[in-house]
Amino acid sequence: MAISQVNFYSKALKREVTFNALLPLDRTDMFGHGNTEERPFKSLYLLHGYSGNYMDWLSLSRIRELSHKYNIAVFMPSGENNFYLDDNDKGELFGEYIGKELVTFTRKMFPLSTKREDTFIGGLSMGGYGAIRNGLKYAGNFSRIIALSSAIITYRIAGISTDHKDEVADYKYYRRVFGDLNLLMGSDRDPEALVLKLIETKVEIPEIYMACGTEDFLLDVNQKFHDFLVSKKVNVTYRETEGGHTFDFWNNYIEKAILWATHNSEN
């Protein structure tokens, strides 16, 4: 198993960024100097939640074990509380960084499959939203989306008043991250709108795996998005079981989701 922390200059973010990489091989093999029998690898771009960073999955989950067990490369970038969205005013294009630039960069650096069917995006909470949004926006890059306890808060914050405040943040934060909240629904930050656009343009929609705990404060928005996907006949696997917004729940379901993504089986 090779664990690498990579720094590189991101054109999308206009600065140096850091991400963690897991590859189930010896470090000497990673750069093409050893056994190549098991190449190329399938890949998972795995996103952290609100207030987290590129260390969360590596520090708090079983992802190292699962990368080795299922022979999949895993890349863990930072989203910096920006919900993995583009901020054009600041010139910080997190969506483009996650959905396009990072995929291109890692394929050049590591022995990865370049096939869409071998490339997945996933995340928890804010990262679940980021995986859904960017998995759909960059549907040509990803065949499957893993969304755990997803913060699909577009349902809650569209058109909110200036004095709004909830479990996550307030109006000013949401306005900065999501733009004009009166125009949110129907924009490319609205997962439903992205699905409708893919249907309209006849672009293949990535398959989606969703899981949320029955004690999770985001359960209602996960249920709502699942119902929407079913109504549009999108291929979605949905799991709702006992659990809260915790790594106990995510550790259980990230393995089920990886198994689903890599072996085409429901769990």
Side-chain angles (χ1 to χ4, degrees):
M1 169 62 66
I3 303 175
S4 293
Q5 187 173 104
V6 181
N7 300 306
F8 80 104
Y9 183 83
S10 165
K11 293 180 181 178
L13 297 177
K14 296 182 174 61
R15 55 186 166 82
E16 188 172 280
V17 296
T18 303
F19 67 87
N20 279 325
L22 290 172
L23 282 95
L25 45 76
D26 293 334
R27 187 171 296 274
T28 54
D29 292 338
M30 185 164 55
F31 299 101
H33 302 300
N35 190 337
T36 61
E37 290 181 0
E38 295 194 46
R39 290 188 232 171
F41 290 105
K42 295 179 180 181
S43 56
L44 170 62
Y45 298 84
L46 194 56
L47 313 181
H48 64 77
Y50 185 81
S51 78
N53 63 29
Y54 62 90
M55 289 297 301
D56 283 16
W57 279 102
L58 195 58
S59 301
L60 302 172
S61 81
R62 300 166 50 218
I63 195 61
R64 177 178 177 179
E65 168 198 337
L66 299 177
S67 171
H68 178 74
K69 183 176 181 179
Y70 295 108
N71 201 41
I72 185 172
V74 182
F75 303 100
M76 295 155 283
S78 282
E80 301 179 16
N81 288 356
N82 285 287
F83 272 77
Y84 304 94
L85 292 169
D86 297 330
D87 186 333
N88 292 302
D89 291 338
K90 292 179 66 178
E92 292 184 339
L93 308 182
F94 279 93
E96 182 176 323
Y97 165 57
I98 296 297
K100 184 178 179 181
E101 184 180 32
L102 189 61
V103 175
T104 300
F105 179 83
T106 51
R107 284 177 174 175
K108 290 178 179 178
M109 184 173 185
F110 301 105
L112 307 179
S113 170
T114 59
K115 297 178 180 178
R116 176 181 182 270
E117 59 263 34
D118 292 335
T119 308
F120 322 121
I121 187 169
L124 63 86
S125 194
M126 180 186 81
Y129 167 85
I132 291 170
R133 189 270 181 175
N134 292 302
L136 294 172
K137 184 172 177 64
Y138 297 94
N141 287 339
F142 305 104
S143 63
R144 295 196 165 195
I145 296 169
I146 295 169
L148 307 181
S149 307
S150 301
I152 314 171
I153 58 174
T154 47
Y155 290 126
R156 296 182 179 177
I157 66 173
I160 58 175
S161 62
T162 56
D163 62 352
H164 177 88
K165 185 175 178 59
D166 59 28
E167 302 96 328
V168 178
D170 58 15
Y171 172 85
K172 290 182 179 180
Y173 168 80
Y174 291 127
R175 176 67 174 81
R176 180 182 64 78
V177 174
F178 288 88
D180 189 336
L181 300 177
N182 292 317
L183 302 177
L184 178 55
M185 305 311 286
S187 73
D188 73 351
R189 301 178 178 214
D190 171 15
E192 286 194 8
L194 290 168
V195 169
L196 293 175
K197 182 178 180 180
L198 293 175
I199 292 172
E200 179 184 359
T201 55
K202 295 181 171 56
V203 174
E204 185 176 2
I205 299 173
E207 296 180 31
I208 301 174
Y209 184 102
M210 297 180 67
C212 193
T214 52
E215 287 71 56
D216 198 307
F217 75 101
L218 294 169
L219 179 61
D220 62 327
V221 296
N222 281 265
Q223 291 172 331
K224 187 171 184 177
F225 187 59
H226 166 252
D227 291 345
F228 167 79
L229 294 174
V230 171
S231 73
K232 297 304 175 184
K233 297 181 172 56
V234 175
N235 191 332
V236 57
T237 297
Y238 182 77
R239 297 289 178 260
E240 182 181 305
T241 58
E242 182 179 355
H245 205 72
T246 68
F247 263 98
D248 286 339
F249 183 86
W250 302 324
N251 258 320
N252 183 24
Y253 275 95
I254 189 59
E255 179 168 19
K256 297 176 185 294
I258 289 175
L259 185 60
W260 164 85
T262 55
H263 295 287
N264 195 23
S265 63
E266 292 189 8
N267 287 275

